[in-house]
Amino acid sequence: MSRQYHVDGELVDRADATVHVEDRGFRYGDAAFETCRAYGGRVFLWERHLDRLRATCETLGMAGAVPDDLRERVDATLEANDLREAYVRVSVTRGVQPGKLTPDGDVDPTVVVYAESLPRGGTAGDPIWDAPADVRSVGTRRIPDDALPVDAKTHNYLNGILARLEVCGSDADESLMCDADGYVAEGATSNLFFVDAGVLKTPERGTILPGITREAVLEAAERVGVPAETGRYAVDDVRDATEVFLTNTTWELRPVGRLDGTAIGGGPVTDRLRAAYDELVDRRCYDG
Ligand code: PMP
């Protein structure tokens, strides 16, 4: 059976899963989205993803665009594709509107859900990456909050795409962007952590997408007694760190093997936090 996508309330074959050329998500990137992870058929930290999706829609002036039955659509997509271990992407666009930039207040959103198979997670699982990340710092600056609110996860990924283009042709897996003041912000699709004298550090909110994995890692650090702080840091602080790792929903915690050619890697703090994260996944999704 071909892959089933959920488009505007209907399950359709992948080949028929299309959106209108006048959809504002296509024309302007005028849309919100979430990437979630299903483990054992359950969507991990769904409420947090739903909250962020709703918040993004509110920022975009289309509060209420997220359908009430979104969770059912996600579950139906997983079931129709017989997927228990999966990547799940949910998009809500402002829909088809007349061809002018000013949005129409009357929103009929386009809602798309699709899922792809991933390896099992938790303590008995495997990461989706096969090696630590090779990271390069790039010249592209993270778009500041007063230009595009950083908490919003929109379809417009041109900032990250330009950052990734800078490392195209190299072995790098991720581009590290600084904010407009030159402090480390985040990767094109990941948040950054490093360990300095046993203290876990990560850039503070305000110049980063507040990742759901980042938040779960900060909570895990508190649970297992790893001291943590958020702040503003230079790229050199990260290069001098004993351990560096990246976080996002699909990578979970991914050690950084090299930053700008300097070997770094994981270590005991990263291992402890990875174990705590896997245990959380077990508790939330596999146990019981
Ligand atoms: N920053 C950016 C720019 C991202 O695209 C992502 C991936 N959504 C993240 C951070 C990590 O967020 P999360 O942990 O919620 O996947």
Side-chain angles (χ1 to χ4, degrees), residues 135-138 174-178 184-187 192 235 238 259:
V135 178
R136 308 281 158 99
S137 54
V138 295
E174 182 58 302
S175 307
L176 182 60
M177 285 183 280
C178 289
V184 169
E186 62 183 341
L192 176 91
V235 176
V238 186
L259 172 58

Side-chain angles (χ1 to χ4, degrees), residues 158-208:
L158 290 175
N159 190 212
I161 289 167
L162 292 177
R164 285 280 175 86
L165 279 174
E166 283 195 57
V167 305
C168 262
S170 76
D171 292 333
D173 304 291
E174 182 58 302
S175 307
L176 182 60
M177 285 183 280
C178 289
D179 64 20
D181 297 326
Y183 294 103
V184 169
E186 62 183 341
T189 64
S190 59
N191 291 119
L192 176 91
F193 285 85
F194 61 100
V195 179
D196 174 20
V199 178
L200 182 68
K201 298 185 175 177
T202 191
E204 66 193 20
R205 289 181 68 154
T207 60
I208 57 163

